[in-house]
Amino acid sequence: MPLRLQMLGTGSAFAKKYYNNNAILYAEDYTLLIDCGITAPLSLHQLDKSLDEIDGILITHIHGDHVGGLEEFAFRMKFIWGRKPVLYIADKLVHPLWEHTLKGGLTQEGIASLEDAFEVKVLSEGTAHHLSPGLSVELIQTPHIPGKDSYSLYINGEIFYSADMIFQRDLLTRLVEERNCRKILHEVQLQGPGQVHTELKQLLSLPAEIRRIILLMHYGDEMENFIGQTEEMEFLRQHQIYTL
């Protein structure tokens, strides 16, 4: 059965119309949440999707639009369903996620560490980790904020999910030409200098054969003004289900 993708949100960190750029991957009977930002619980509620239907959460980096919903997720799973959610996380993110993001809100009797709140599954970079029979994920460290670790994902050896990253032409070219990448889900900054994100003009500079396999996400509220200005690339839409 092919992978299916449903975006809980497609917006940039400051977008208001399109929610945080978080996604659900459906792989046969397995459901993976990619990032759990501030708006993720609301979006799941709007889809009438219960939190206990999520088999695992994978986070790409530590910003509020990617991890801001984890506190609510953990508490609701604990007090409603009596179990810990499965959390897939890069080894370099374990300490900062707890110490710098979740500790203040989650700490209480019975919760004194990330492992007390989640069933933590630590992932190493550069290895294809098999999360379920139909789903493997490889972490690729990519630049975003200087001094902060951030990761893109290579899914099932053929789908690239950028998360947040500065433009990496060589990486995209190598994935397509050497690693059989056939679909790229890429963030885009539509206006202004892309100091920590990828600008639209940078993606437009790619060859047409690469642009044809790109779907755009993590855009601003001005997205509608750019329809027809992205060449072969199309915008992902919130809550729609895409067969990958």
Side-chain angles (χ1 to χ4, degrees):
M1 181 181 297
L3 284 178
R4 292 177 298 141
L5 174 82
Q6 186 173 35
M7 302 300 296
L8 293 183
T10 54
S12 63
F14 306 136
K16 298 297 181 283
K17 290 169 59 176
Y18 301 115
Y19 291 25
N20 300 150
N21 196 87
N22 306 162
I24 300 175
L25 268 182
Y26 302 99
E28 298 181 3
D29 295 328
Y30 193 86
T31 301
L32 178 71
L33 178 61
I34 300 177
D35 289 326
C36 185
I38 297 165
T39 60
L42 173 59
S43 188
L44 288 166
H45 172 74
Q46 291 173 339
L47 289 171
D48 197 26
K49 187 170 292 296
S50 174
L51 299 189
D52 71 331
E53 297 178 44
I54 305 297
D55 295 302
I57 308 165
L58 190 159
I59 66 164
T60 60
H61 65 288
I62 301 173
H63 276 154
D65 56 323
H66 296 265
V67 299
L70 287 176
E71 180 181 314
E72 178 180 343
F73 205 113
F75 276 143
R76 289 177 63 192
M77 289 296 292
K78 176 180 176 65
F79 293 116
I80 298 175
W81 289 282
R83 62 182 177 89
K84 302 176 187 178
V86 174
L87 179 67
Y88 296 101
I89 181 171
D91 47 8
K92 294 178 183 178
L93 298 181
V94 173
H95 178 79
L97 177 62
W98 177 253
E99 291 294 331
H100 305 316
T101 301
L102 295 179
K103 183 177 182 179
L106 276 176
T107 297
Q108 61 176 55
E109 184 178 355
I111 301 179
S113 68
L114 189 65
E115 292 77 10
D116 289 335
F118 297 91
E119 183 180 340
V120 179
K121 306 284 189 180
V122 178
L123 305 181
S124 56
E125 180 189 358
T127 299
H129 297 271
H130 295 275
L131 309 190
S132 78
L135 179 62
S136 68
V137 177
E138 175 188 341
L139 300 183
I140 300 175
Q141 189 160 8
T142 44
H144 178 34
I145 302 293
K148 287 192 172 184
D149 293 304
S150 185
Y151 297 87
S152 300
L153 310 177
Y154 201 45
I155 301 165
N156 284 4
E158 59 181 3
I159 299 164
F160 181 72
Y161 185 98
S162 73
D164 292 9
M165 75 175 209
I166 297 169
F167 184 54
Q168 298 292 293
R169 177 188 298 274
D170 290 346
L171 173 61
L172 297 176
T173 301
R174 188 165 62 252
L175 288 170
V176 172
E177 294 182 353
E178 301 176 12
R179 298 196 59 189
N180 303 311
C181 181
R182 61 176 185 80
K183 186 70 68 178
I184 296 172
L185 313 173
H186 208 293
E187 69 129 86
V188 62
Q189 182 170 315
L190 298 172
Q191 294 179 306
Q195 297 179 357
V196 296
H197 292 286
T198 296
E199 298 177 42
L200 175 60
K201 68 179 181 180
Q202 293 173 315
L203 292 173
L204 288 171
S205 73
L206 291 166
E209 59 267 25
I210 295 182
R211 294 197 305 262
R212 271 193 288 270
I213 65 171
I214 293 178
L215 294 171
L216 300 171
M217 61 185 187
H218 200 280
Y219 43 74
D221 284 341
E222 73 277 25
M223 180 272 283
E224 300 288 344
N225 298 330
F226 285 81
I227 294 175
Q229 300 182 42
T230 60
E231 298 292 345
E232 299 86 354
M233 300 178 290
E234 297 182 1
F235 291 105
L236 285 167
R237 297 287 190 154
Q238 182 183 21
H239 292 176
Q240 289 189 23
I241 296 179
Y242 297 85
T243 297
L244 299 180

